[in-house]
């Protein structure tokens, strides 16, 4: 197969390109800019474009398919040339379906938890040396890539993102996979730039549940009222398996999962992660892994990259970074850390960075999100708001939204860095939450604060 990628440098796209390279496909691609680590990883396999930009001459009739990334625009010159030649055009999820249409497709959906649950499932299979195809949204220990495709595996595990498929296909990605086995972890309004109302957002999950193949199954978080409502109202002829947070205890900063064989120490913590674990167990059992084998493997799961990742620890202090940015994720992560370290001061720092988080209406969704923090901190750059062409957001609006009179608000990267470096971290936990980079904060320097 001869495949060309338009916008090859994206996190998802370059991993798919590498997966096809390992499948002995001929892979070419273009992009107008490529950052690390995509750049080095593509270069290592000879897939990095010689020059950045769009080159219609790369599009020719001998291509078997052209895959379009979200970074491309509808008027992209290479896309227009491919359309003119009548070539087969695929979005990222369309091509994954094409590669897996003869396999059992396991799709993990939800506003939050889907990366962690997918990672847990893959960790269990990797631990027991059981081969499976996959696509996951984070780099995992023990895995070379975020996408793996073969001709041999019976299963493929797909993280089911609800964001759009391509510049010319406005359907959410997870509508295209047609799962045989599905999971729905939670529904909390996100991607407000695409789904302007909560009702419109929830509708996407109804469509997802109805897209499960007849005779398939949905494993769903019964503790989430929206999930419960959507799944139980579906008339699709599928089996429905509810799950809930299992019993667990926390002692001296260590979480123990209660199993039929007794209390078992695990590496991850927080009610949301224990809920994720319960969902992953159901899916693994549906895929033929028995309960004892699941527990044996999951005891060594340390988490997905950027998801509640411990970056430094000393005798009385510890620091975590987390990808959390939406209100529900921020609340779950902050609560999880406080529950794990109830006797330590929790300094929770959230960077507002996404389009949604600067929308005045959506901002109200953050009410109570930092309530578990002893020292709540919000950092954002007014320049980021301007770049997104949104109305300016004032510190007063932020404070009102979170409903914390003691909320620390920083709008300057240097001032935020100084604040972080001036704190006393004895008997404390530092939690950094963002999908950005905290205004260029050097995390290596932050580690040194904890390790003093």
């Amino acid at each position: 197969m001869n495949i060309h990628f338009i916008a090859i440098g994206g996190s998802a796209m370059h991993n798919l390109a590498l997966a096809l390279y390992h499948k002995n496909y001929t892979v070419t691609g273009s992009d107008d800019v490529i950052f690390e680590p995509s750049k080095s990883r593509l270069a290592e396999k000879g897939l990095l474009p010689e020059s950045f930009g769009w080159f219609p001459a790369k599009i020719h009739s001998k291509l078997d398919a052209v895959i379009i990334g979200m970074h491309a625009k509808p008027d992209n010159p290479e896309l227009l040339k491919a359309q003119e030649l009548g070539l087969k055009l695929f979005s990222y999820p369309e091509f994954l379906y094409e590669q897996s249409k003869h396999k059992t497709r396991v799709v993990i959906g939800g506003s939050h938890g889907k990366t962690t649950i997918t990672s847990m499932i893959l960790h269990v299979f990797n631990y027991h040396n059981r081969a499976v195809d996959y696509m996951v949204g984070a780099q995992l220990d023990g895995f070379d890539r975020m996408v793996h495709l073969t001709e041999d595996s019976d299963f493929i595990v797909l993280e089911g993102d609800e964001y759009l498929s391509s510049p010319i296909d406005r359907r959410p990605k997870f509508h295209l996979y047609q799962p045989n086995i599905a999971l729905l972890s939670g529904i909390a309004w996100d991607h407000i730039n695409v789904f302007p109302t909560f009702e419109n957002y929830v509708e996407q999950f109804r469509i997802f549940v109805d897209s499960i193949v007849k005779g398939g199954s949905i494993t769903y978080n019964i503790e989430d009222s929206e999930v419960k409502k959507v799944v139980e109202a579906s008339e699709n002829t599928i089996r429905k398996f509810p799950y809930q947070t299992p019993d667990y205890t926390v002692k001296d900063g260590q979480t123990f999962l209660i199993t039929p064989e007794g209390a078992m120490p695990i590496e991850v913590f927080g009610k949301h992660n224990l809920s994720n674990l319960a969902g992953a167990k159901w899916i693994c059992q549906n895929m033929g892994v028995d309960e004892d084998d699941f527990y044996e493997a999951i005891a060594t799961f340390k988490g997905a990259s950027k998801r509640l990742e411990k970056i430094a620890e000393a005798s009385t202090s510890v620091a975590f970074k987390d990808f959390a940015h939406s209100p529900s994720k921020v609340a779950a992560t902050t609560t999880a850390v406080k529950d794990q370290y109830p006797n330590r001061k929790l300094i929770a720092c959230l960077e507002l960075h996404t389009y949604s988080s600067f929308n005045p209406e959506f901002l109200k969704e953050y009410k109570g999100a930092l309530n578990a923090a002893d020292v709540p901190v919000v950092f954002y750059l007014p320049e980021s708001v301007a770049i997104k062409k949104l109305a300016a957001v004032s510190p007063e609006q932020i404070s009102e939204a979170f409903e914390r009179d003691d909320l620390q608000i920083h709008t300057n990267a240097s001032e935020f860095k100084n604040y972080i470096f001036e704190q006393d971290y004895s008997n404390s936990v530092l939690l950094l939450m963002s999908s950005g980079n905290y205004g260029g904060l050097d995390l290596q320097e932050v580690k040194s604060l904890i390790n003093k």
Side-chain angles (χ1 to χ4, degrees), residues 422-436:
E422 289 167 359
Q423 301 308 302
D424 176 9
Y425 291 104
S426 57
N427 199 38
S428 297
V429 182
L430 173 63
L431 172 60
L432 296 167
M433 296 175 284
S434 176
S435 59

Side-chain angles (χ1 to χ4, degrees), residues 1-5 20-21 23-28 47 63:
M1 292 281 283
N2 193 350
I3 310 293
H4 181 78
F5 284 76
L20 296 184
Y21 168 85
K23 212 176 171 186
N24 294 319
Y25 283 25
T26 299
V27 176
T28 59
L47 302 181
L63 290 171

Side-chain angles (χ1 to χ4, degrees), residues 140-394:
L140 309 180
D141 286 343
F143 293 82
D144 294 331
R145 298 178 306 280
M146 292 156 60
V147 181
H148 181 63
L149 300 168
T150 67
E151 299 295 339
D152 306 324
S153 293
D154 294 328
F155 289 99
I156 183 167
V157 182
L158 298 162
E159 181 177 330
D161 185 3
E162 69 270 24
Y163 201 67
L164 305 179
S165 295
S166 86
I168 58 173
D169 185 348
R170 308 292 288 177
R171 291 175 294 175
K173 293 185 185 76
F174 70 168
H175 289 181
L176 306 182
Y177 295 136
Q178 298 180 41
N180 305 91
I181 298 171
L183 180 142
L184 193 48
S185 61
I187 297 175
W189 194 17
D190 203 355
H191 308 304
I192 189 173
N193 55 322
V194 178
F195 309 110
T197 66
F198 179 66
E199 291 72 22
N200 178 233
Y201 182 69
V202 172
E203 179 63 21
Q204 310 314 311
F205 293 90
R206 292 193 189 100
I207 295 169
F208 171 64
V209 173
D210 288 341
S211 75
I212 300 168
V213 299
K214 289 183 171 31
S217 69
I218 177 77
T219 296
Y220 65 104
N221 179 6
I222 199 172
E223 293 170 331
D224 186 299
S225 59
E226 288 298 330
V227 167
K228 184 175 184 292
K229 197 184 308 179
V230 165
V231 172
E232 295 182 359
S234 175
E235 296 180 0
N236 194 2
T237 52
I238 54 176
R239 291 164 294 152
K240 300 174 182 179
F241 302 123
Y243 71 89
Q244 60 188 14
T245 306
D247 292 334
Y248 68 97
T249 61
V250 180
K251 185 177 180 182
D252 299 328
Q254 173 68 61
T255 294
F256 295 85
L257 176 66
I258 307 305
T259 77
E261 302 300 318
M264 181 184 81
I266 56 175
E267 299 281 347
V268 296
F269 63 87
K271 183 178 185 294
H272 67 300
N273 272 329
L274 273 294
S275 174
N276 293 336
L277 185 150
K281 182 168 84 75
W282 266 105
I283 294 296
C284 285
Q285 288 179 280
N286 282 334
M287 295 172 70
V289 175
D290 68 35
E291 189 175 57
D292 289 344
D293 285 343
F294 176 83
Y295 285 135
E296 179 186 338
I298 209 65
T300 61
F301 178 73
K302 289 182 166 55
S305 175
K306 299 181 182 177
R307 270 68 177 182
L308 206 44
E309 184 178 341
K310 186 186 294 182
I311 58 173
E313 185 171 22
S315 57
T316 66
S317 56
V318 62
F320 293 91
K321 68 172 182 175
D322 192 89
F323 196 64
H325 50 89
S326 69
S328 60
K329 293 175 185 174
V330 170
T333 299
T334 309
T335 301
V337 174
K338 188 60 183 176
D339 287 348
Q340 191 76 354
Y341 301 94
N343 299 318
R344 293 189 186 184
K345 178 176 68 176
L346 172 56
I347 304 169
C349 304
L350 168 66
E351 178 184 13
L352 297 179
H353 177 72
T354 64
Y355 180 99
S356 297
S357 61
F358 295 126
N359 180 285
E361 278 304 306
F362 188 81
L363 198 55
K364 298 172 185 174
E365 299 289 317
Y366 283 98
K367 176 183 176 182
L370 289 174
N371 277 3
D374 298 297
V375 181
V377 184
V378 168
F379 164 65
Y380 73 100
L381 292 173
E383 306 92 270
S384 298
V385 184
I387 288 169
K388 292 174 172 62
K389 297 180 179 178
L390 294 167
V393 176
S394 70

